[in-house]
Amino acid sequence: RFRARLGEEGSLKLLEELPSNEPRVRLTVYQGVPKADKLELLAQKLTELGASRLVPVEMERSVRRFERVDRLRKIAREAAKQCRRALPMEIAEPISWAAAVRDMRVRSLLVAPWEEASAGRLTDLRPCMDVGLLIGPEGGISAREIQESGAHTVTLGPRILRTETAALAAAAIVMAVMGEI
C-alpha cells in the first residue's frame, strides 16, 4: 500500500510506502464444504487471523455444493477493513478433491487436524513460510483423503470440534507458532 497524490491529467505521484501488517507466513486453509453459512463465518474470522487463502473443497463427506463465492469475497473485504489488513484474504472458487490434492502438494507444509490422529501437535510444527491446513467438513476427513493428501496429521485434543471451530483454532495455533500472533 502506498500514499499517493493524484496530479493533473490523471498522473499519480507516489509519496511513501505504508507499513504492511500482512503476515510473512502464507496460510492456505483447505476447508471441506460445510453445511449452512459456516463458510461466511470462516471468511470473516480467517481474514482477521491473517490467513492468505480459503479454498472450499468438495470432499467425500461434504453434504452440499457451494457456489456463493462472491458473498464470501465481500465478507473477507469487509473483515480486512475492520482489522486494518492491507489485503483481504483470497477466496478461491470451490474445487474438487482431485484439484485440491494437486494444490496442497505445492505447499511447503501441509497439516490436517484429524479426529483419528493420536499424536502430533500443531505446537510442534517447524517454522515454515507456506503452510496448508486441511480441515474436513462435518463428518470429518476420510482415511482415503488423509492418505491421498499426504498431510501430516495432528490432534486438536480429546474433544471432537465442529468444522468451523477446528478451522479457527488450528489457524490461530499455526499463526502463533509461526510468530504471527
Side-chain angles (χ1 to χ4, degrees), residues 8-126:
E8 293 180 25
E9 299 178 20
S11 65
L12 192 64
K13 180 179 180 184
L14 297 179
L15 302 174
E16 66 177 311
E17 184 173 0
L18 300 173
S20 175
N21 61 357
E22 287 302 304
R24 293 166 292 136
V25 173
R26 181 168 170 78
L27 174 61
T28 301
V29 178
Y30 298 93
Q31 174 66 54
V33 176
K35 293 188 245 177
D37 296 329
K38 294 174 182 176
L39 280 174
E40 292 182 8
L41 172 75
L42 292 173
Q44 181 183 59
K45 301 306 177 191
L46 290 171
T47 296
E48 293 174 20
L49 287 169
S52 301
R53 189 168 163 238
L54 174 61
V55 181
V57 181
E58 311 244 346
M59 296 176 70
E60 194 174 299
R61 296 179 182 157
S62 294
V63 294
R64 71 181 187 116
R65 294 185 53 82
F66 184 78
E67 297 166 356
R68 299 180 312 171
V69 176
D70 289 342
R71 172 128 175 89
L72 294 183
R73 289 177 178 151
K74 180 181 180 206
I75 290 168
R77 281 191 308 273
E78 291 169 359
K81 288 178 190 175
Q82 182 273 323
C83 70
R84 297 186 180 150
R85 264 187 85 170
L87 302 169
M89 176 177 63
E90 176 190 341
I91 309 286
E93 293 290 331
I95 60 175
S96 68
W97 174 250
V101 169
R102 287 189 297 276
D103 197 84
M104 289 185 281
R105 296 266 164 97
V106 177
R107 307 283 71 82
S108 299
L109 174 64
L110 178 66
V111 293
W114 192 40
E115 60 270 9
E116 300 296 322
S118 58
R121 296 164 41 120
L122 287 169
T123 54
D124 296 333
L125 294 178
R126 69 184 195 280

